Amino acid sequence: MATLPVFRWRLAPDGYATRRQLRALGLRPGGQDVAAQLERPRRRREPLVAYLYRIDHAVPVRPMTPARRAALAKAMLARRTCPNCRRDAGYCIPRSLGMCVTCTDTTHH
């Protein structure tokens, strides 16, 4: 197995990008393997690692179709709906609470 090239934080050569950087450019890895990694040293802990992909092998992001948009809207509605009072809370329900803040306040007092 070949080892990946490792670069220090902020010292990667041109032509490489993280997933977020690719997305900002309207691209995605498109099935390519990780090409390199960045490492940021930390005191007394493991270094932070970011995986890099080759920009020239990246492909355009798939366009949002009406069906994908509807599925995403339905999923986000489910995340905002309180399982206790069944109302749209207007924000994503924290998984740590399991219900909207109003229901949490009324059940804990």
Side-chain angles (χ1 to χ4, degrees):
M1 182 174 147
T3 59
L4 293 174
V6 178
F7 302 109
R8 287 190 53 94
W9 205 252
R10 299 183 185 267
L11 295 178
D14 291 338
Y16 291 99
T18 63
R19 282 182 178 270
R20 282 189 177 185
Q21 290 168 335
L22 286 177
R23 187 63 184 214
L25 296 171
L27 301 171
R28 60 187 169 95
Q32 68 172 300
D33 291 331
V34 174
Q37 71 181 35
L38 287 176
E39 285 191 356
R40 179 179 169 201
R42 299 190 295 177
R43 295 176 196 231
R44 296 183 217 102
R45 289 193 282 174
E46 304 269 322
L48 287 175
V49 175
Y51 297 109
L52 299 173
Y53 300 90
R54 301 241 334 240
I55 295 174
D56 58 342
H57 291 175
V59 295
V61 174
R62 292 185 190 111
M64 184 67 76
T65 64
R68 286 179 64 198
R69 190 178 312 279
L72 182 59
K74 186 176 177 182
M76 292 307 293
L77 178 63
R79 289 183 64 191
R80 291 192 317 263
T81 303
C82 176
N84 197 33
C85 65
R86 295 278 174 215
R87 287 189 301 207
D88 183 346
Y91 54 87
C92 288
I93 306 286
R95 291 179 63 184
S96 59
L97 298 178
M99 62 183 84
C100 68
V101 176
T102 307
C103 289
T104 305
D105 289 345
T106 57
T107 58
H108 289 300
H109 288 113

